[in-house]
Amino acid sequence: FANGLPNISTIVRGKKVLNPSDNSTAWSDNPALCIYDYLRDTRYGLGETAANILTASVTTAKGVCDETVDLADDTTQARYTINGSVDTANSIKNNMEQMLGSMIGRLVYSGGQFEIHAGAYVAPAFTVDESVAVGEITVQTKQSRRSAYNGVKGVFLSEDDNYILADYPAQLSSSYAAADGDPIYLDMALPFTTNNIRAQRIAKLALFRSRQQESITIPCNLSALRFKVGENINVTNAR
């Protein structure tokens, strides 16, 4: 090579992962299945046993990721996929957060088990009212400006640009920016997302979540022990 050794890159399919819904093992770009594998991996991951992971949550999250989304050009795509490489030099926590970002999901530890949740609304199954409350209810109507933002921007591995880091179109809400006085951006990198449209979808969801600013604290009796972290709960209060 007259100009020295060239840079060589390749597109590969990663490790085969287990699908707990049918016990099959195959390659998959479904975020829920890859995160499930990373939790159980004894060499590079957390090394958890299958008994310590709620497989029903994995199956539900898998279904959310596989949902078909209609695009403006009359084509479709899966709601969430995961495409990238796990750097073992990083902490397991950091890798897990980045992987969860590909489906704007969360990992919850509740009742002695890990639960995987993809970014989708789940209707409340329980209601909290005056009969459950045992103390003063406090309400914070707005978060501080330091933690508020009305736009999301960042980089992703663009499949249209030979998988190099590129900026996805910033998601800015003009109405939120007007309410805050000026644009305030959150810089959110998506290292496990390669599709431009999917990156915008994730950024937009992150933006909408940030505007749910009202925080309610309700001391409850023991009936609240049935609630899990991350669940949506209805609140009814006549006052």
Side-chain angles (χ1 to χ4, degrees):
F1 300 100
N3 297 320
L5 198 65
N7 291 325
I8 300 174
S9 60
T10 182
I11 299 174
V12 299
R13 284 192 166 190
K15 177 184 178 183
K16 294 180 180 180
V17 295
L18 173 68
N19 183 350
S21 61
D22 59 10
N23 290 321
S24 62
T25 301
W27 176 86
S28 174
D29 62 356
N30 186 289
L33 296 185
C34 293
I35 292 170
Y36 177 62
D37 178 84
Y38 191 62
L39 282 173
R40 296 171 62 246
D41 191 289
T42 56
R43 185 172 184 181
Y44 299 116
L46 196 60
E48 277 293 342
T49 62
N52 290 339
I53 305 172
L54 185 62
T55 54
S57 72
V58 179
T59 302
T60 301
K62 174 186 178 298
V64 172
C65 296
D66 285 338
E67 287 177 355
T68 300
V69 177
D70 296 324
L71 305 183
D73 61 358
D74 295 328
T75 61
T76 62
Q77 67 175 201
R79 184 173 297 279
Y80 304 119
T81 63
I82 186 168
N83 304 96
S85 59
V86 175
D87 188 349
T88 56
N90 296 333
S91 67
I92 292 177
K93 178 178 181 292
N94 184 58
N95 285 335
M96 187 66 68
E97 288 176 346
Q98 291 184 346
M99 295 173 75
L100 287 166
S102 67
M103 62 174 183
I104 195 165
R106 64 183 186 274
L107 181 67
V108 174
Y109 187 75
S110 177
Q113 288 185 308
F114 286 98
E115 298 181 17
I116 299 173
H117 299 279
Y121 175 73
V122 179
F126 303 106
T127 298
V128 170
D129 56 21
E130 290 91 339
S131 66
V132 177
V134 295
E136 182 181 357
I137 299 175
T138 59
V139 179
Q140 179 180 334
T141 58
K142 192 174 183 179
Q143 62 186 355
S144 67
R145 182 177 175 85
R146 179 177 301 177
S147 57
Y149 54 91
N150 46 54
V152 178
K153 63 180 181 179
V155 295
F156 73 117
L157 292 172
S158 174
E159 61 188 5
D160 297 324
D161 298 309
N162 205 23
Y163 298 96
I164 63 173
L165 283 177
D167 295 317
Y168 57 80
Q171 301 299 299
L172 176 68
S173 169
S174 57
S175 58
Y176 295 155
D180 294 336
D182 54 359
I184 307 171
Y185 283 97
L186 169 71
D187 194 358
M188 185 174 73
L190 298 173
F192 285 94
T193 301
T194 59
N195 181 266
N196 180 29
I197 297 175
R198 192 175 286 115
Q200 294 179 67
R201 179 183 306 124
I202 293 172
K204 193 171 185 178
L205 285 172
L207 172 60
F208 286 160
R209 282 184 179 181
S210 75
R211 307 308 294 192
Q212 297 174 351
Q213 302 182 68
E214 191 171 25
S215 175
I216 306 174
T217 303
I218 307 176
C220 296
N221 59 25
L222 292 180
S223 65
L225 288 176
R226 59 186 170 173
F227 305 151
K228 292 183 179 180
V229 175
E231 282 188 332
N232 293 324
I233 307 294
N234 276 325
V235 176
T236 298
N237 184 267
R239 294 185 180 180

